[in-house]
Amino acid sequence: MAPLAALFLLLSVLLRPSSPLAPPPVLILPGFGNADVDYCRPFGSPTGLVDSLKSRGSDVTVLSLKRWEWIRVALGSFEPGFWRGEQRPYGRAYGWYVSRARGAAADMAAEAG
């Protein structure tokens, strides 16, 4: 066997995955004004984004969020920085959302190992 062919054969054996990689866990963060249900059963539909991702083998979690909770953003409108575009991630307007999202991501990372 030619040395180059032997090298390619060796590399193909060494680099071949022993088992298919599992898809990473997916955390869906509802967009502004949306609720978790919008990603599970949008508009009463029998399927949604969660079902599509699960059918492809993903472990999917949607951040638990009710639509009314977005009213908390209005609390941030009383801060001057809100109107100047200087709002911080942990400010009044979105701090509740960022904290909850980070907690959910940390929980998923701990479960995934």
Side-chain angles (χ1 to χ4, degrees):
M1 183 181 291
L4 192 56
L7 177 63
F8 282 129
L9 178 62
L10 178 63
L11 286 175
S12 70
V13 170
L14 291 175
L15 298 177
R16 182 181 321 138
S18 58
S19 63
L21 296 175
V26 175
L27 174 60
I28 298 174
L29 303 176
F32 184 74
N34 289 347
D36 52 9
V37 69
D38 297 334
Y39 301 89
C40 300
R41 303 282 183 256
F43 305 109
S45 171
T47 61
L49 178 61
V50 171
D51 295 314
S52 295
L53 292 171
K54 284 184 176 182
S55 72
R56 290 170 175 79
S58 294
D59 178 22
V60 184
T61 301
V62 181
L63 184 69
S64 177
L65 189 67
K66 303 297 179 212
R67 203 171 315 282
W68 65 265
E69 291 183 87
W70 288 104
I71 195 71
R72 296 175 183 177
V73 175
L75 295 174
S77 68
F78 294 107
E79 295 179 347
F82 184 87
W83 300 105
R84 291 193 301 261
E86 300 168 352
Q87 204 41 277
R88 294 286 186 218
Y90 286 100
R92 278 191 187 163
Y94 295 100
W96 62 274
Y97 184 78
V98 172
S99 293
R100 193 181 300 174
R102 287 186 68 153
D107 291 346
M108 287 183 73
E111 286 178 19

